[in-house]
Each structure stands twice: as structure tokens, then as C-alpha cells.
Amino acid sequence: MVEALDQTSNADLALPSIPLGYAIRMADLRVKERRAAVIRDCSTVTPEYECKWDALCRTDGSLDFDAMDEVVAFAEAHRMGLHGHTLCWHRSIPRRFLDVDPERFRAAATAYLSNVVRRYQGAMLSWHVVNEPLQITDGYDDGLRVSPYLSALGADYIHKMFRLVRTLDPQALLVLNEMGLEYDSPAAEQKRQLMLALLQRLMSEDVPIDCLGLQSHLNARDFLSGNHRNFARWLQEIKSLGLSIEVTELDVDDRDLEGDVEARDETVARVYLEYVEMVKTNARLSGVTLWGVSDEGSWLNTSGSRLAARPLALDAYLMRKPAWFVLQASSRQV
Ligand code: G3I
């Protein structure tokens, strides 16, 4: 039974001081109840797939904007901020451009980025210009991931792409988005230090970057058993650089937890609260996006694992879970 969705919209609720949003798919907008839940809960939305290069790219290499146009029209109709996810990502390169010569890749990647940013210039609150630039195991001293972007555009591809997007869309906030920076582990600490050094380098060379995006795919058991002093201290260092933090893909994997659904949901809510409060306390938090509208649609449940994850704020029936109430409350207090 779908909970009777009150029609309260953000305009009626006291607007949260920290914009909250969901990653949405075009399919979400086609279901009345899901659409209503997004309108009720979100002041921002992020296309989970529709803006990516492989999503837009037709087999002949041309770009099909129909799905993304629909997402943009929805956001504009409901006065929601839009996060343009994501312009450069090694996992969203269309198959036809994976094994081409560097010049062909550079031309195609730049054409996709320029066409998308020009089309939606002025409509975007932010652009996720580069996603997941670091991969320590690739062996570079600065931790940069070996990708077609690095090979074709050079070690300063991040500089080039941020400068290009700033030129094409001067109003939007420009975000460098990364995963795995939030954990209490030696690998995460090493990645945090490499990210800090990368950001210091970019800013010293006047690269126009406004925000660091923390994907924030959390594991409930690991988070609650972890010591987050290093993460908190590192957030303060990011803040001292003058950069804001956007929590870009928040979800809390509860599959390692003991207990029934009710107990797991309460624990997930506790992780949401503690994590958002930690980032609010130690950083200039510019927004929080959950990576999906409701549990059953989460990317965590696409791998066919034995136990369904309940990582988000709404369950499969769009019922509001304890995490929903925690997030609404936490987003209102500065
Ligand atoms: O919509 C098409 C459908 O028409 C087609 O028939 C089908 C056949 O493959 O594909 C469908 O698209 C899928 C899309 O999700 C639908 O939402 C793509 O194959 C699939 O690759 C895509 O997966 C997304 C993935 O990124 C890759 O783009 C996930 O939904 C999305 O949750 C995931 O999100 C990433 C972030 O962008 C970056 N951070 C990690 C995060 C999780 O991997």
C-alpha cells in the first residue's frame, strides 16, 4: 500500500537550509506516486544516468537529448536545482570511443561535454565535471587513475575540462566528485591525502573548482564501528582551501547488519544522522543527494545479491523510513 502522499511540497515546508535531493531516473518521472515523492522531498535532483555520455550517445556517435531534456524540464517546472552528473567518467565512455586513437577520443569527449554544457547552460546548479579521478593502484605518484581521459588529454586533463566548463557555463558550481574518501581505513586515508594534494595543486594553478563531491556510499556496520577523527580533520582542511562539500550519492548499505527490518532501518537512520552532522560540523556543506528515490531501485540491488539492501529514505512502497525524518530534520539546522 503506498502511503497517502501528502501534497506538501518544499514550498509549504520550511525550506531546508541544506538542499536535499535524490538521484532520479526518467522512469521515476513516469510513475505518479514516485514523481509526487520527488516533488515533496527534493529541492535538487541528479540524473542517475540520463546525462552520461553513454546514455546520450547513439550508435552513430550522435547525441540524443530527449531523456535529459525531460529531466531538465521536470526540474525547471518544480523549481529544483539540477546537478549535471557527470561529464568525464571512465565508466560512461560509449563503447565506440573506448579503443580509438587519442586524438579521436579527445575530439569526441570534448564534443560531448561542450554540446551538453551548452545545451543546459544556465539550467544547472552544478556540473560534476570529473568523476573518480583517483585510483591509487594504477601506480601514479599523484594517484591519478589511468583512463582514456588521462591518455588522450594529458596529466592536466582535469585542469582543461574544468576551464572549458567554466567558459561554457560561468554560473554553475563546478564539482570534482570522488568515492571512497569517507571511510576509516588506511586506503581511504591515503586517498584523502592524495585528493587534498590534487585540490591544492588545482587551486594553486587557478583551476576554477568550487566544490568537492563526496559520493558517500556508506556501509552501516563499518561506519558505526569506525573512528572518524581523520575524516573530520581532513574535512576541515578542505574547508580551509575555500571549497564547499557536496554529498553527492549518499546511501547506507545495511546488509551486514543483524536484526529485523525495523532494527536495520533505525540503524540506517542513525548513520544518516551521524554522517550528515559530521560533514555539517567540519565542512561547508552545500547539499545532500541520496542515490535513488526508494530502496528497491538502488544500484545496490541491481547486483542480484541474496539480501535486498534498504539504503535510502523511502522503502519500496515509498513509505518514509526513519532515515527520511532524520534527513529532513538535519537539513534544517545550520
Ligand atoms: O535505461 C537503459 C535501458 O533502456 C537498457 O535497456 C538497459 C540495457 O543495458 O540499460 C539501461 O540503462 C542502465 C542505467 O543504469 C539505467 O538506470 C545502464 O545499462 C546501467 O549501466 C546504468 O547503471 C548506472 C551506473 O552508474 C552506470 O552509469 C546506475 O544506475 C547508477 O546508479 C550508477 O551510479 C554510479 C554513479 O554514476 C557514480 N558513482 C558510483 C555510482 C554507482 O555505480
Side-chain angles (χ1 to χ4, degrees), residues 76 117-125 127 168-172:
E76 291 188 324
V117 177
R118 282 197 185 98
R119 187 179 186 88
Y120 302 119
Q121 185 269 333
M124 289 292 168
L125 174 62
W127 287 106
L168 296 172
D169 190 352
Q171 276 77 34

Side-chain angles (χ1 to χ4, degrees), residues 23 25 47-50 52 54-55 85-86 89 91-92 131-132 177 179 215 217 249 251 291 297-300 302:
R25 298 172 182 162
E48 187 171 358
Y49 183 57
E50 287 70 12
K52 291 171 179 171
D54 58 333
H85 178 83
T86 178
W89 186 32
R91 280 185 50 200
S92 56
N131 189 35
E132 301 173 14
N177 197 41
M179 67 183 187
Q215 290 188 11
H217 295 296
E249 306 180 21
D251 47 32
W291 204 243
S298 167
W299 69 287
L300 292 170
T302 54

Side-chain angles (χ1 to χ4, degrees), residues 2 22-23 25 27-29 31 33-35 37-38 48 251-252 254-255 264-265 291-305 307-321:
V2 174
Y22 296 155
R25 298 172 182 162
D28 294 317
L29 305 183
V31 177
E33 293 81 1
R34 299 182 73 78
R35 190 183 178 95
V38 173
E48 187 171 358
D251 47 32
V252 178
D254 64 327
R255 287 173 293 187
R264 283 164 49 191
D265 285 355
W291 204 243
V293 174
S294 55
D295 288 338
E296 86 295 344
S298 167
W299 69 287
L300 292 170
N301 288 320
T302 54
S303 57
S305 62
L307 179 67
R310 296 174 61 85
L312 297 170
L314 300 178
D315 71 10
Y317 301 99
L318 299 178
M319 298 288 280
R320 289 177 286 187
K321 299 158 60 183

Side-chain angles (χ1 to χ4, degrees), residues 262-278:
E262 191 177 350
R264 283 164 49 191
D265 285 355
E266 286 296 340
T267 303
V268 163
R270 186 178 147 213
V271 174
Y272 270 100
L273 176 63
E274 291 187 15
Y275 181 72
V276 172
E277 287 303 311
M278 189 186 306

